[in-house]
């Protein structure tokens, strides 16, 4: 097990600033989310973890704790897919300027085939942002229940993406694209020879002791894992497609249709498990012992200036006003958001990591109060923590 300078085992507990506790409690009362966990690490040492609210309102759930597991939604992109790509690059199994069709031969002769891994990671491949593939794959919400069935659905969705035309020229602009990250998930599987969830577990989560941080595939193994943790999982939405309240089932419909494991969504975890992984990025950034290579982390976390008007680094976003990171995070910062109400921001300039996990989509995704809450809470965290560092 990797035990670098930012591992959870080496932290010192930081006293919870009353203003942060009050801001979380007020968000619960105001209906921004039923509950949340805010985790902050400063200087690789001092951590505070602040749970607030309840797991659910409909039906009323038990109190949120530091052990509450959330659907991380698009945090899957940087935490699982981007980190996996960084591992593969540093192991020499691919290069960022390799073409997608050099790995996924099914893309040869298609508009997407020439897109490079770098373009997929920076959302500049020209692919559309979203398509409702799940409606075509499974109109009645019948999900794959075996590895073989999941592999067949992956084959079908690869064919669907291959049929997509580009909506802008490759490398000409950025458009946030789930489709590109679906391809990246398949590329990781093809390069590694392992299912995405197993690769992430064995090559990232276990070495960092970043547990619980996992996928819940819709096969017997995934169901067993989910059932062992079900009392700790915050539910998300009452889903009209699946016809029930989701708890331990990925909120994103396309990821669900893929069997719960995808490059763009599907990861679940606690705030402290997320910190274990962000710590590996921050440690490598500062050239301290890490699972990750410092040169690769420097490249991946830097805004790509060759894409006009883009705020994207390689798989990570960077602050661009108005930013969900607020007003104070440095230009060197990098982070990402998740649709279910999750976010992570890392500021290397003051060694500040901020993880906010919530289920703002419970009981409905129509609740968008988190849009104004995110920058406010990051401003408050910075004022309470970073300026004193």
């Amino acid at each position: 097990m990797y035990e670098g300078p930012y591992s959870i085992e080496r932290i010192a507990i930081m006293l919870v600033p009353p203003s942060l506790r009050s801001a979380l409690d007020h968000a619960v009362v105001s209906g921004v989310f039923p509950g949340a966990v805010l985790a902050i690490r400063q200087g690789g040492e001092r951590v505070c973890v602040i749970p607030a609210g309840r797991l659910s309102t409909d039906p009323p759930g038990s109190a949120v704790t530091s052990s509450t597991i959330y659907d991380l939604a698009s945090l899957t992109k940087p935490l699982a897919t981007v980190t996996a790509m960084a591992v593969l690059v540093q192991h020499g199994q691919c290069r960022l300027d390799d073409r997608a069709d050099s790995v996924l031969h099914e893309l040869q002769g298609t508009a997407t085939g020439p897109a490079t891994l770098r373009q997929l990671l920076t959302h500049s491949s020209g692919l559309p942002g979203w398509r409702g593939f799940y409606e075509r794959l499974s109109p009645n919400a019948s999900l794959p229940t075996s590895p073989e069935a999941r592999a067949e659905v992956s084959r079908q969705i690869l064919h669907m993406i291959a049929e997509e035309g580009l909506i802008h020229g490759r490398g000409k602009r950025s458009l946030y694209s789930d489709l590109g990250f679906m391809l990246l998930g398949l590329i990781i599987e093809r390069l590694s020879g392992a299912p995405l969830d197993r690769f992430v577990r064995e090559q990232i989560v276990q070495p960092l002791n970043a547990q619980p941080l996992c996928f819940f595939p819709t096969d017997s193994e995934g169901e067993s894992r989910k059932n062992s943790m079900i009392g700790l999982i915050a539910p998300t939405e009452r889903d009209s497609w699946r016809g029930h309240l989701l708890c331990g089932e990925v909120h994103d419909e396309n990821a669900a249709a893929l069997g719960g494991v995808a490059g763009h969504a599907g990861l679940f975890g606690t705030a402290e498990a997320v910190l274990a992984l962000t710590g590996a990025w921050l440690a490598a950034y500062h050239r301290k012992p890490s699972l990750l290579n410092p040169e690769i982390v420097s490249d991946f976390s830097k805004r790509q200036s060759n894409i006009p008007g883009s705020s994207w680094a390689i798989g990570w976003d960077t602050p661009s006003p108005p930013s969900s990171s607020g007003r104070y995070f440095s230009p060197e910062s990098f982070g990402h958001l998740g649709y279910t109400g999750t976010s992570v921001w890392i500021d290397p300039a003051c060694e500040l990591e901020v993880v906010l996990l919530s289920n703002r989509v419970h009981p409905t995704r129509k609740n968008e109060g988190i849009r104004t809450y995110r920058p406010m809470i990051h401003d408050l965290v910075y004022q309470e923590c970073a300026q004193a560092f």
Side-chain angles (χ1 to χ4, degrees), residues 4-260:
Y6 297 89
S7 62
I8 290 296
E9 286 76 13
R10 300 188 179 202
I11 63 173
I13 302 302
M14 182 169 63
L15 293 176
V16 176
S19 62
L20 294 177
R21 166 70 67 191
S22 176
L24 280 169
D25 289 341
H26 180 71
V28 171
V29 172
S30 301
V32 174
F33 37 63
V37 178
L38 177 68
I40 305 160
R41 178 159 49 198
Q42 184 181 9
E45 297 178 342
R46 293 175 292 173
V47 167
C48 70
V49 179
I50 314 171
R54 310 191 78 79
L55 294 180
S56 61
T57 57
D58 184 18
S62 56
V64 171
T65 72
S66 61
S67 299
T68 297
I69 297 169
Y70 284 95
D71 180 337
L72 301 179
S74 281
L75 293 194
T76 303
K77 293 181 174 76
L79 299 178
T81 305
V82 176
T83 305
M85 288 301 308
V87 169
L88 290 169
V89 169
Q90 71 187 41
H91 288 171
Q93 292 177 261
C94 62
R95 298 169 300 174
L96 289 180
D97 293 320
D98 289 344
R99 288 169 48 137
D101 60 9
S102 71
V103 183
L104 299 174
H105 303 303
E106 298 90 336
L107 295 177
Q108 291 177 359
T110 71
T112 302
T116 65
L117 305 185
R118 185 187 302 272
Q119 288 169 341
L120 293 173
L121 286 160
T122 56
H123 300 282
S124 61
S125 68
L127 280 167
W130 183 87
R131 290 286 186 263
F133 293 135
Y134 70 99
E135 295 172 321
R136 295 161 59 188
L137 288 166
S138 181
N140 63 352
S142 176
L143 305 181
T145 57
S146 70
E148 295 77 17
R150 286 168 52 203
E152 172 59 22
V153 173
S154 295
R155 186 194 66 76
Q156 293 177 43
I157 215 160
L158 175 56
H159 178 71
M160 291 178 185
I161 296 174
E163 291 183 322
E164 290 286 338
L166 303 187
I167 60 174
H168 62 77
R170 283 184 296 274
K172 300 300 183 182
R173 57 178 284 232
S174 284
L175 175 66
Y176 182 76
S177 175
D178 278 359
L179 276 64
F181 269 76
M182 290 179 197
L183 289 181
L184 286 166
L186 299 176
I187 286 168
I188 292 165
E189 294 188 333
R190 195 71 61 90
L191 288 170
S192 68
L196 177 63
D197 54 330
R198 192 174 84 202
F199 184 85
V200 170
R201 181 174 67 249
E202 294 178 354
Q203 300 298 320
I204 299 169
V205 171
Q206 290 176 350
L208 294 174
N209 195 27
Q211 296 170 345
L213 195 65
C214 62
F215 293 89
F216 293 128
T218 55
D219 55 27
S220 57
E221 179 183 346
E223 286 296 308
S224 176
R225 185 184 308 141
K226 179 185 73 174
N227 291 337
S228 71
M229 304 179 186
I230 196 68
L232 299 173
I233 303 172
T236 53
E237 192 169 21
R238 291 193 176 277
D239 179 32
S240 57
W241 176 54
R242 280 165 276 187
H244 57 263
L245 177 67
L246 304 178
C247 187
E249 300 175 62
V250 61
H251 180 262
D252 182 275
E253 294 93 344
N254 283 331
L258 278 163

